Amino acid sequence: MRIPIIYLYIQRILASIVILFLVVSLIFIITRLQPGDASSSFISPRISPKLIEQIKSDYKTESGIAKQYFAFVTNFIQGDFGISFSYRKPVIEVIKNYLPFTIIFGIVTFLFQLIVSFFLAVISVKTRGTFFDRIIKKSNIVLYSTPAFVTGLFFLLIFSLQLKIFPSSGLSSLDIYQKSWGGKIIDYIFHLTLPVLTLSLTLIPIYFKLLRDNLDNLLDAAFIVNLRSMGMKENIILFKHVIPNSLPPLISSAGIDFGFLLSGALITEIIFGLPGMGRLTVGAIFANDYPLILGCCFLASAFMILSNLLADIIRGMIDRRSIKGMLE
Amino acid sequence: MKQKTTLALFIFVIVFAACSKPERSNRTNIIIGISSDIQSLSPLYSFVFDEGTISELLFLSLVQHDWDEAEGTVKTEAMLAKNWQWEKDGSSLKIYLREDAFWSDGIPCTAEDVVFSFDVYSDPVVQSRAYGSFEKFNTDSDGRIIIGETFEVLNPYELIIKFKNNSNATLFDIDYSILPKHILEKVPREEFKRDKFNHEPVTNGAFRLERWEKELGIILAANPKSILYREGMIEQIIFKIIPDYNNRILQLLNNEIDLIEEVKPEDVGKIRDKEFLRLGFVKGREYDYIGWNNIDGLVYNRNGVRQPHNLFGDRSVRQALSMALNRSEILDNYLLGFGEIGLGPVPGIFKQEYNTDLIRFDYDLEAARKLLNDAGWKDSNGDGYIDKDGIEFKFDLQVPVGNPRRKYAAEIFYSDLKKIGIEMRVNFIDMGLFIDGLFEKKYDAWMVGWVTQVPINLAVQWRSDLENTPFNFISYKNEKVDSLLSLLEMNIDKHQENEILKKIQYHTNIDQPVTFLYWLDNVVAYHSRLQGLKFSPLGVVIKCWQWRIN
């Protein structure tokens, strides 16, 4: 069994690399075929037409798309995405400034979402049919239907403008470099509380619903009724038999969402002025900054594929039947 | 147990709240909210407005320009040049530099830096923001200033600048921030764009860079060694990056930041309600317009022939269109009065250059109908749309996406034109695509904005030579305007120049090559503790070393 599993994972990794390459190639072709170029961001009455002409000729390569693609692939294999037009720096260097925040923010938000939705679902299912259960379910609908920008602005108004507890923008205070390590950590926590809450509230209702429905169905399943009739305690049934069996669908869904989170969270980043990949990617698209678009898209695709792979592995570890299914 | 948990939570929140309060400006610093981070602090690459504003605080120019509100014009003041003397025929300029100006690394700022700076700005390899703007200097075929023919360094603090014959050069032509030669001469020119000087510059201006936290803010500290330093100057200016407009407003209302520009008219009331906030209004030199392609772009692209456009080639039709658009409605209902109806390419703030006798082409559907009727446009088949020689008056208006004001205006104009039997289909397109289409003369009509430069340069948009005037998107041609623009390049005095500018405005007004919509005010909101602000059309923050904190 072990060798086929390793073989399966190698196969998945190889397939992921091929998918990644295809995605990046597709994005390369789309960006090159679309009209407009990076010079449009320089058009202004303050700039002489001579300079515009020169910048335009710099951005428009004379060689055909096939040659450009070949050059791109050669550089891509060497890990070189070229120079960003708008930042005038290598793409890798630009991304390095945004990636650490995105990863940390993504992981913290993701864990927060999972933990909160898990506890809410367990409490809700344990208090099935009660007033508390109904309240959780109703508020879930409200949260699900509220867009992130509304939640974000609401939090800003309440916690920043009215209560003056949390800062209203940025990843940290501007004088963070003068603070001690402890002060720095508190400063980051303070700045990230509202963004994490804003972003989490978009996915908590989905995870809650998924988990709550699974738990609900499993609690009425025949094997659980059987265990109950054998006199097993409710808590043991819940934690040992119901919860582990309810997790695989959640993990599959969370795998996709985690990939999205690591690609950036545009709305939250804009509202709270955070330096994330979402803002970087959209800025690159608006500026027609092809090398940067490709760099960002490559990372987004890589995160998506990787998080899916990770989700499959975890699912396999929890429920070996899923691996068996894949092998068959 | 529950009580203990609640107590612990309460203590946790209190401790957190005590540890990190929202940032606030204090008695010695101010915080200015800006929408995005900049890419470079070097004046070579200050392509966007905020980059220009910040780099001007860090670097000295030979002269500085300020707005004279009473005269409605720009006045020149000394900066790095303590004095200057023009040759009688205006062909050269002797400059006396201040001897007490130093770079932040202690090296004196001299005439060698001045010569080096002009060489770098005009070097095509560097691709600075000023490249191509040195027409009044002796340049080679690539536009690079010929140093030997242009500069004569008499001593470290005196130099002569020689201009091209009959170039009508002014002090605007030497208004560039000076760069440190001793630092940049070591950098290969092709590496300038990527050099660390863009992020850690050696400066000589009123402020020095204290810290640049990417995507968070830029902190400038007063430079006590600068020639611009004065007692009581603001010690620290922080440009805080807040991408979301609503958040910028919230932080201003919350007393977290001290100044923001481009306040939307609908937020003016909220700011007026706060006692500690003040409003300032910068009368605009930015306007929206509808461009009517004066020629058939397809024919021009095919064989270079300027054939009048079948809809907009006729002046009286363009006049009729201007009269059919209810510009006042947008000014009153959307801009809430923070603007002015546009009549020509020169705004009213230029009191000496502005022509006060222009026709307003106010909203008058009857007059518009009559003009169209006289030009042969009638509804001959009774379908509700006017036509002429079998062509119905229907066209597409291209509008770049992402501007709610223009979207609102397009909706109003659509219904205005429908009332006189014209169908205007509105297309919202991507800005990059839109600009490409403008250069390729693909569009019949479009709505976009433009800024009148200081000093006023109408040739860049209104000269008919399309090869050398790529910004003449509408392909306007009026021989009188061409000859007036040529006269402006001669050695003429200021009075003559103003008269010529008024005549050009007359022609662009009567021809209505575009419909000038409205000049847009820049509404500035700031904390009442800030003193000495000037609401100059050149920029609000540009001379903030003169501000004081009350």
Side-chain angles (χ1 to χ4, degrees):
Chain A
M1 183 74 176
R2 181 163 286 176
I3 291 171
I5 290 174
I6 292 168
Y7 174 74
L8 181 75
Y9 286 143
I10 290 171
Q11 202 182 25
R12 279 294 306 271
I13 290 165
L14 289 175
S16 299
I17 292 169
V18 173
I19 291 168
L20 192 60
F21 183 72
L22 289 176
V23 168
V24 174
S25 299
L26 188 69
I27 294 162
F28 174 88
I29 293 163
I30 291 170
T31 52
R32 293 301 151 117
L33 290 182
Q34 72 167 12
D37 59 56
S39 65
S40 57
S41 53
F42 292 91
I43 308 296
S44 134
R46 294 198 315 140
I47 306 297
S48 84
K50 207 168 183 170
L51 177 61
I52 291 169
E53 212 173 275
Q54 207 191 41
I55 293 172
K56 266 186 175 292
S57 70
D58 272 11
Y59 290 148
K60 277 189 180 148
T61 41
E62 296 301 322
S63 54
I65 196 159
K67 266 190 177 175
Q68 286 180 45
Y69 179 68
F70 182 72
F72 161 72
V73 171
T74 317
N75 293 334
F76 171 70
I77 291 167
Q78 293 166 2
D80 177 11
F81 286 95
I83 306 284
S84 156
F85 297 152
S86 32
Y87 288 82
R88 304 180 207 107
K89 276 188 207 170
V91 167
I92 302 286
E93 235 176 82
V94 177
I95 289 177
K96 261 189 207 166
N97 288 331
Y98 290 79
L99 193 59
F101 163 75
T102 304
I103 290 177
I104 294 168
F105 185 55
I107 291 173
V108 170
T109 309
F110 182 69
L111 290 177
F112 184 77
Q113 285 168 344
L114 282 183
I115 292 166
V116 172
S117 43
F118 176 81
F119 278 108
L120 282 179
V122 171
I123 293 168
S124 170
V125 87
K126 278 181 88 174
T127 54
R128 273 199 292 185
T130 64
F131 175 71
F132 185 69
D133 180 33
R134 282 203 299 275
I135 284 283
I136 295 181
K137 283 203 282 193
K138 297 282 183 216
S139 15
N140 202 45
I141 295 166
V142 175
L143 285 178
Y144 180 67
S145 44
T146 312
F149 71 90
V150 175
T151 320
L153 287 175
F154 174 77
F155 281 158
L156 275 179
L157 268 171
I158 301 297
F159 295 107
S160 191
L161 187 64
Q162 299 298 328
L163 300 175
K164 300 184 196 301
I165 296 175
F166 295 106
S168 29
S169 77
L171 171 60
S172 66
S173 307
L174 277 164
D175 61 352
I176 190 163
Y177 59 98
Q178 293 171 339
K179 294 186 177 176
S180 64
W181 272 105
K184 276 181 186 164
I185 289 169
I186 289 175
D187 192 74
Y188 282 128
I189 292 175
F190 244 77
H191 278 81
L192 287 181
T193 303
L194 294 186
V196 167
L197 276 178
T198 304
L199 191 55
S200 299
L201 288 183
T202 55
L203 279 178
I204 285 175
I206 298 171
Y207 293 158
F208 168 80
K209 179 91 173 68
L210 202 64
L211 202 58
R212 171 74 171 73
D213 288 352
N214 283 341
L215 291 170
D216 216 14
N217 291 337
L218 279 164
L219 278 173
D220 296 333
F223 78 100
I224 297 293
V225 175
N226 192 31
L227 288 172
R228 221 174 261 144
S229 66
M230 286 162 69
M232 197 176 270
K233 282 184 181 169
E234 273 303 317
N235 270 353
I236 295 174
I237 294 175
L238 186 68
F239 289 103
K240 206 169 173 188
H241 298 282
V242 177
I243 290 174
N245 279 303
S246 67
L247 287 178
L250 177 76
I251 291 167
S252 300
S253 168
I256 296 168
D257 294 332
F258 187 48
F260 272 121
L261 276 178
L262 293 180
S263 316
L266 180 69
I267 306 288
T268 315
E269 287 168 15
I270 287 178
I271 292 175
F272 294 99
L274 300 169
M277 290 297 293
R279 251 172 79 196
L280 184 71
T281 310
V282 172
I285 292 168
F286 278 125
N288 283 323
D289 191 342
Y290 308 134
L292 192 55
I293 296 174
L294 280 168
C296 294
C297 290
F298 166 76
L299 266 183
S301 317
F303 282 138
M304 189 58 80
I305 290 167
L306 206 68
S307 60
N308 266 302
L309 187 67
L310 206 67
D312 281 350
I313 293 171
I314 295 171
R315 209 154 53 103
M317 281 158 68
I318 292 176
D319 182 4
R320 297 188 77 81
R321 284 171 301 177
S322 64
I323 297 182
K324 210 175 168 188
M326 278 192 263
L327 282 171
E328 279 166 9
Chain B
M1 181 66 190
K2 270 183 185 172
Q3 281 172 333
K4 276 185 186 170
T5 316
T6 315
L7 186 69
L9 267 173
F10 179 73
I11 292 168
F12 181 73
V13 170
I14 293 294
V15 168
F16 258 36
C19 288
S20 180
K21 287 269 177 196
E23 276 170 54
R24 248 165 250 286
S25 42
N26 55 39
R27 290 172 67 86
T28 55
N29 74 7
I30 61 161
I31 303 177
I32 298 170
I34 57 174
S35 62
S36 59
D37 203 359
I38 61 170
Q39 305 308 329
S40 171
L41 292 168
S42 166
L44 286 169
Y45 301 112
S46 51
F47 284 100
V48 298
F49 187 76
D50 286 334
E51 283 174 334
T53 303
I54 295 170
S55 78
E56 281 178 21
L57 301 180
L58 294 171
F59 292 88
L60 296 174
S61 301
L62 286 174
V63 290
Q64 60 184 328
H65 287 98
D66 202 359
W67 186 253
D68 185 338
E69 189 61 46
E71 294 289 317
T73 190
V74 179
K75 61 180 181 192
T76 309
E77 295 166 354
M79 203 178 209
L80 189 57
K82 63 180 173 192
N83 210 346
W84 54 85
Q85 202 178 352
W86 282 98
E87 191 65 25
K88 272 182 189 161
D89 61 356
S91 63
S92 69
L93 176 69
K94 188 172 182 184
I95 293 173
Y96 303 89
L97 298 178
R98 287 183 65 142
E99 292 167 26
D100 53 352
F102 291 88
W103 294 103
S104 48
D105 56 4
I107 304 288
C109 184
T110 67
E112 289 298 334
D113 292 315
V114 176
V115 176
F116 175 79
S117 304
F118 279 86
D119 184 34
V120 169
Y121 277 115
S122 67
D123 189 341
V125 176
V126 175
Q127 286 190 355
S128 81
R129 64 163 171 94
Y131 175 68
S133 310
F134 296 96
E135 293 102 344
K136 292 177 184 175
F137 291 74
N138 288 305
T139 57
D140 63 16
S141 56
D142 282 338
R144 185 172 180 178
I145 295 174
I146 303 166
I147 298 298
E149 289 179 20
T150 308
F151 295 97
E152 189 183 337
V153 176
L154 304 174
N155 65 51
Y157 300 103
E158 282 180 30
L159 76 155
I160 294 172
I161 303 177
K162 295 166 195 159
F163 296 95
K164 215 188 259 180
N165 286 338
N166 291 322
S167 62
N168 196 19
T170 66
L171 289 171
F172 279 109
D173 297 301
I174 59 161
D175 187 3
Y176 292 99
S177 297
I178 301 304
L179 303 160
K181 182 185 177 186
H182 65 286
I183 300 290
L184 289 173
E185 68 182 347
K186 295 168 197 158
V187 182
R189 297 279 169 104
E190 60 276 11
E191 289 300 315
F192 270 37
K193 281 181 203 166
R194 290 177 281 277
D195 189 67
K196 67 172 185 179
F197 185 78
N198 291 297
H199 310 104
E200 300 163 21
V202 170
T203 61
N204 60 357
F207 291 87
R208 61 179 174 77
L209 178 68
E210 187 172 308
R211 199 167 175 84
W212 183 0
E213 290 284 340
K214 295 272 179 194
E215 297 295 334
L216 271 180
I218 300 144
I219 306 175
L220 305 184
N223 176 9
K225 290 178 187 163
S226 170
I227 56 170
L228 297 174
Y229 184 82
R230 297 288 179 278
E231 207 53 45
M233 196 169 132
I234 293 168
E235 282 177 23
Q236 198 183 49
I237 295 186
I238 299 168
F239 291 89
K240 188 176 180 186
I241 295 142
I242 313 163
D244 183 51
Y245 170 79
N246 292 315
N247 197 343
R248 283 201 294 283
I249 288 286
L250 281 179
Q251 295 201 25
L252 183 81
L253 297 173
N254 201 21
N255 198 6
E256 284 183 52
I257 58 173
D258 295 291
L259 186 144
I260 60 168
E261 294 190 54
E262 308 285 351
V263 174
K264 289 182 184 170
E266 62 265 31
D267 291 318
V268 166
K270 286 182 217 162
I271 288 158
R272 281 201 171 119
D273 289 344
K274 291 278 180 187
E275 258 185 46
F276 64 90
L277 291 177
R278 301 281 178 274
L279 286 163
F281 304 94
V282 183
K283 284 285 164 200
R285 55 189 178 94
E286 185 186 341
Y287 63 97
D288 277 0
Y289 74 91
I290 293 188
W292 312 113
N293 203 342
N294 289 200
I295 63 164
D296 189 320
L298 276 176
V299 173
Y300 179 77
N301 284 332
R302 204 179 304 136
N303 51 27
V305 174
R306 298 170 79 125
Q307 183 180 302
H309 193 278
N310 58 10
L311 302 178
F312 312 121
D314 182 345
R315 180 169 89 173
S316 57
V317 170
R318 297 193 298 264
Q319 289 175 344
L321 289 167
S322 293
M323 282 196 275
L325 304 177
N326 194 350
R327 292 170 285 174
S328 303
E329 187 173 342
I330 290 121
L331 190 61
D332 296 340
N333 296 337
Y334 192 92
L335 294 169
L336 305 177
F338 296 110
E340 210 171 304
I341 295 288
L343 305 178
V346 177
I349 53 168
F350 291 95
K351 290 178 186 166
Q352 294 173 16
E353 293 90 347
Y354 183 64
N355 187 336
T356 49
D357 299 325
L358 301 178
I359 303 167
R360 286 187 61 82
F361 292 105
D362 280 329
Y363 183 55
D364 186 343
L365 289 180
E366 272 317 302
R369 270 193 203 103
K370 187 177 180 310
L371 272 174
L372 287 167
N373 204 37
D374 292 348
W377 291 95
K378 292 164 193 169
D379 184 8
S380 59
N381 53 11
D383 66 347
Y385 295 107
I386 54 172
D387 56 87
K388 182 182 170 184
D389 303 332
I391 300 167
E392 290 209 309
F393 209 129
K394 293 180 177 178
F395 66 95
D396 291 328
L397 179 82
Q398 313 293 339
V399 186
V401 285
N403 187 313
R405 181 182 65 244
R406 289 183 198 135
K407 187 170 181 280
Y408 179 86
E411 281 161 10
I412 301 288
F413 296 157
Y414 167 82
S415 62
D416 284 341
L417 292 179
K418 202 169 181 190
K419 288 174 196 161
I420 56 167
I422 293 174
E423 188 188 8
M424 179 180 81
R425 297 170 294 255
V426 183
N427 297 331
F428 294 99
I429 54 172
D430 165 72
M431 183 54 108
L433 189 62
F434 173 77
I435 286 173
D436 270 10
L438 279 186
F439 279 109
E440 289 163 18
K441 303 200 178 298
K442 270 167 59 179
Y443 307 136
D444 293 325
W446 60 90
M447 177 161 41
V448 77
W450 196 254
V451 183
T452 301
Q453 287 168 279
V454 180
I456 297 167
N457 179 3
L458 299 182
V460 73
Q461 203 184 1
W462 303 104
R463 199 190 285 280
S464 68
D465 171 14
L466 298 182
E467 283 296 310
N468 296 308
T469 321
F471 290 154
N472 183 359
F473 299 125
I474 52 160
S475 307
Y476 176 60
K477 185 174 184 180
N478 182 328
E479 277 157 16
K480 285 177 187 161
V481 170
D482 281 340
S483 54
L484 288 166
L485 287 169
S486 301
L487 279 177
L488 281 177
E489 290 169 0
M490 311 298 279
N491 223 345
I492 52 170
D493 64 33
K494 185 67 190 153
H495 176 73
Q496 286 172 308
E497 188 186 318
N498 292 346
E499 289 309 307
I500 292 170
L501 284 171
K502 283 177 185 171
K503 282 180 189 166
I504 295 173
Q505 288 170 70
Y506 164 78
H507 287 294
T508 53
N509 176 247
I510 208 83
D511 287 345
Q512 289 290 294
V514 304
T515 294
F516 298 96
L517 297 174
Y518 18 73
W519 295 99
L520 305 159
D521 289 353
N522 172 11
V523 181
V524 182
Y526 62 101
H527 199 290
S528 58
R529 72 199 186 99
L530 292 183
Q531 304 285 306
L533 274 73
K534 278 187 182 174
F535 301 100
S536 154
L538 303 178
V540 178
V541 186
I542 53 163
K543 286 179 83 177
C544 63
W545 57 82
Q546 294 178 343
W547 297 358
R548 296 291 178 267
I549 295 176
N550 188 4

